[in-house]
Amino acid sequence: MHFTVNGNSSYCYTNSRAIDPGKPSIVFIHGSGMDHTVFTLAARHFARHGNNVIAVDLPGHGRSEGEPLTAIESMADWIVAALDALAVEQAALVGHSLGSLVAMDCAARHPTRVHALAMVGTTAPMPVSDAILNAAEANDHAAFDMLTQWGYSKRHQYGGNRNSGMWMIGSTLRLFERSRPGVLFADMSACNNYSAGVERAAQVGCPVQLILGAEDRLTPVRSTQPLQAAFISPQVTVLDGAGHTIMVEAPNALLDALHEVL
Amino acid sequence: MAGPDYPGLDTMALHAGAQPDPTTGARATPIYQSASFCFPDSDYAASLFNIERAGHVYSRLSNPTNAVLEERIAALEGGVGAIATASGQAALHLAIITLMGAGSHIVASAALYGGSHNLLAYTLPRFGIETTFVDARDPKAFAEAIQDNTRLVFAETLGNPGLDVLNIPAVADVAHAAGLPLMVDSTFTTPYLIKPFDLGADIIQHSATKFLSGHGVVIGGLLVDGGRFDWDASGKFPTLSEPYAGFHNLVFTEEFGPAAFITRARKEGLRDFGACMSPTSAFHILQGMETLGMRMSRHVENTRAVVDFLLSQDVVERVGYPELDGHPDKALAAELLPRGCGAVFSFDLAGGREAGIAFVDALDLFSHLANVGDAKSLVIHPASTTHHRMDAEALAAGGIGEGTIRLSVGLEDAKDLIADLKQGLRAAGKVIAKKGAA
């Protein structure tokens, strides 16, 4: 559905349902250069299980208008503004990569609005290589190539999609190619510049789940130790065989893991 | 700025989509010859039916063996996904019925495989879909034929039978300017010779019976979605951009983004029309595809040798291969098909229909049959077989002479193929001499 956030026409996928104030709500937040479609399967699943699902397109992404935001904190505040616009008092947040930092920051700084947090393919801090940043700044396709290749486990470079007939590398590339010039650089810079992650993690009071790919090359499991240590009793699920693009590489395992916290 | 390298075509032809079988460790892709698949529990079942989980329900909709083949061709073509169908014709039909309904119109090249031409010219009009056929070599003709109700531009990468080289970038520009997708039949070329998505095409159709398999033991088709066409921006494709009552008002572009077309094709067209591929056929096609690059290279090498030989023969009046001087598409072929123009081509014998028949009947190594793209060399005399109901005038309009011979050059030793052709040419020569004496 289209709605207005901070004066801009914005979009969120709701499984074609109106927001029901009597149901729990789950907000899905995509990663860098992506849009709501990365969470289609999960959103459909939790909608059928009696939730309001709100898979957003961050400003400048997908079907949302406006300039891309340049800081994780701004994106977190935008999520709260979106909840206000949708008259949703409190929600569980599920974020992937950049979206996971947005969700965590939101949970830390707006604790009354978030009752559960799931971070998929995450780490903090989340440094981005100069090669990716430079390519993204130049709107060079090489940025899409690097993120796509390193975004999948080595085995998945050759496919093996559980979703019949879909070539995951091609699907991810096409989604990146749809992003507007400058969007990926804004997102990557936001990740790279977000230094408050571990501090924010310590402020999160709601249940937390980290869902990690055992073969993630962009946000390796080993890099998540400071984050894991900062949270109070996080639940950690490591998915064998998956890289960073967990929604595509392990869609069923992701659903099962999300049920642990949602 | 250079990004990381992707695996090459030969590597992907062997590995894309496949993993060692998780249950048995089998290295080859198993044939999952099962009509249906068990659900662990009711909620899992519901989630599969509602497109929440990845998995298989019923082999008309998806199958683990077919899925490997589908992912492999999608990877080789650089698309987002693919569907394996019962035949190449089924793939073409699936694409059309996914995009349009009665009252729609297609602009197609006139240089098409006969089966495709039949579907477009005679069968689909009965269901309210009309086609205008245009010169494959004239992008302007494609533009001029587009109507308000046109929903697809369709052509073959190498036209049939004259090997018209499709100017994919130019025709794609024409289609896109009108808010339409370009679909190409790349059966003759395969991803080894051309990558249509890189040149602007939006959908690719294959008869997998031909070069992709190579062995000629199965019938199968593949439909591949490039994922770049913006169906929402076009506004001409309500099947993709508006709620679908057949699936709880699902809007495919909204939920599946770049994969909207191929997802609708599976969720509706494959489900309702049911032209799915047998898992055993998928297995056979996979075996062939593993050696695609090596085979296509040899096909082209042999074809060039045969073409060179035929050019030197007095009884051969014309050889139609786009790499030759005098072929109208020589420059375009050099640009778009640098690895070669495939292994199917035609040539004209002096002596007309009788010489053609004598030539074919004298061959031993070339198999006389109606197919192309086999590892074995094939021959047919169109005037006495596939086009036997047409008179000389009608044949000429189709670019076919009474003495036209079509070859599909296989993987045998070139010297043996040439020796066989010499037999045929001697027989044709006798007919010509006899006619001359008379």
Side-chain angles (χ1 to χ4, degrees), chain B residues 158 163 165-166 193-194 199 304 321-325 327-341:
Chain B
L158 282 173
L163 295 190
V165 178
L166 183 69
L193 294 178
I194 198 167
L199 298 170
R304 287 171 174 158
Y321 195 65
E323 293 183 350
L324 298 177
D325 288 340
H327 193 284
D329 300 325
K330 185 182 179 191
L332 188 61
E335 178 187 344
L336 301 185
L337 293 152
R339 286 176 144 173
C341 297

Side-chain angles (χ1 to χ4, degrees), chain B residues 277-338:
Chain B
M277 179 183 285
S278 154
T280 300
S281 294
F283 172 82
H284 286 302
I285 295 167
L286 282 167
Q287 304 318 299
M289 283 178 71
E290 290 193 349
T291 55
L292 178 67
M294 295 170 67
R295 286 187 294 105
M296 290 305 293
S297 174
R298 177 65 175 261
H299 274 296
V300 169
E301 181 186 331
N302 276 359
T303 300
R304 287 171 174 158
V306 167
V307 164
D308 284 346
F309 165 73
L310 291 172
L311 284 171
S312 68
Q313 302 302 302
D314 292 340
V315 297
V316 174
E317 293 183 330
R318 178 198 66 90
V319 180
Y321 195 65
E323 293 183 350
L324 298 177
D325 288 340
H327 193 284
D329 300 325
K330 185 182 179 191
L332 188 61
E335 178 187 344
L336 301 185
L337 293 152

Side-chain angles (χ1 to χ4, degrees), chain A residues 13-245:
Chain A
Y13 169 72
T14 63
N15 195 227
S16 304
R17 301 168 197 231
I19 303 296
D20 181 344
K23 291 181 178 178
S25 297
I26 305 172
V27 176
F28 295 90
I29 310 168
H30 58 78
S32 298
M34 299 276 115
D35 68 17
H36 68 277
T37 59
V38 300
F39 279 118
T40 290
L41 300 189
R44 293 180 67 85
H45 181 75
F46 285 100
R48 184 172 62 80
H49 279 271
N51 299 277
N52 296 316
V53 293
I54 303 164
V56 300
D57 282 347
L58 290 169
H61 296 68
R63 298 174 179 219
S64 286
E65 295 179 353
E67 291 298 311
L69 302 173
T70 55
I72 297 297
E73 291 88 343
S74 308
M75 299 179 202
D77 292 341
W78 185 90
I79 293 292
V80 172
L83 291 176
D84 290 342
L86 295 168
V88 172
E89 185 58 33
Q90 196 177 57
L93 303 187
V94 179
H96 173 242
S97 197
L98 164 132
S100 71
L101 299 183
V102 174
M104 178 180 69
D105 196 83
C106 195
R109 293 194 296 111
H110 304 280
T112 61
R113 307 302 297 271
V114 181
H115 67 79
L117 170 66
M119 301 176 72
V120 183
T122 190
T123 194
M126 195 179 283
V128 179
S129 74
D130 287 345
I132 293 175
L133 281 171
N134 292 340
E137 185 171 23
N139 294 307
D140 189 321
H141 197 279
F144 304 152
D145 293 324
M146 285 185 266
L147 286 168
T148 301
Q149 286 218 349
W150 298 332
Y152 284 93
S153 70
K154 286 185 179 175
R155 170 175 281 195
H156 286 147
Q157 301 300 309
Y158 304 99
N161 200 338
R162 300 286 305 275
N163 194 3
S164 281
M166 301 307 298
W167 171 235
M168 29 182 137
I169 298 284
S171 301
T172 297
L173 275 174
R174 288 300 106 77
L175 205 49
F176 274 129
E177 289 167 0
R178 288 186 169 206
S179 65
R180 289 159 228 170
V183 165
L184 185 63
F185 180 63
D187 290 350
M188 293 275 94
S189 299
C191 291
N192 192 52
N193 297 336
Y194 185 61
S195 57
V198 173
E199 180 186 339
R200 292 278 188 268
Q203 297 167 5
V204 173
C206 66
V208 174
Q209 183 171 30
L210 306 183
I211 303 172
L212 311 174
E215 298 181 36
D216 190 332
R217 293 184 285 170
L218 288 174
T219 53
V221 173
R222 65 178 181 278
S223 73
T224 65
Q225 288 309 317
L227 191 63
Q228 291 191 39
F231 282 122
I232 304 164
S233 305
Q235 182 157 348
V236 180
T237 304
V238 179
L239 302 178
D240 288 341
H244 187 66
T245 316

Side-chain angles (χ1 to χ4, degrees), chain B residues 88 157 184-190 204-212 296 372:
Chain B
T157 52
V184 298
D185 180 339
S186 191
T187 297
F188 277 19
T189 37
T190 81
I204 296 173
Q205 171 216 345
H206 285 285
S207 168
T209 308
K210 313 300 190 307
F211 294 102
L212 287 177
M296 290 305 293
V372 295

Side-chain angles (χ1 to χ4, degrees), chain B residues 295-296 298-299 302 374-377 409-413 417:
Chain B
R295 286 187 294 105
M296 290 305 293
R298 177 65 175 261
H299 274 296
N302 276 359
D374 199 305
K376 304 170 191 70
S377 290
V409 179
L411 306 179
E412 300 91 341
D413 291 290
L417 294 176

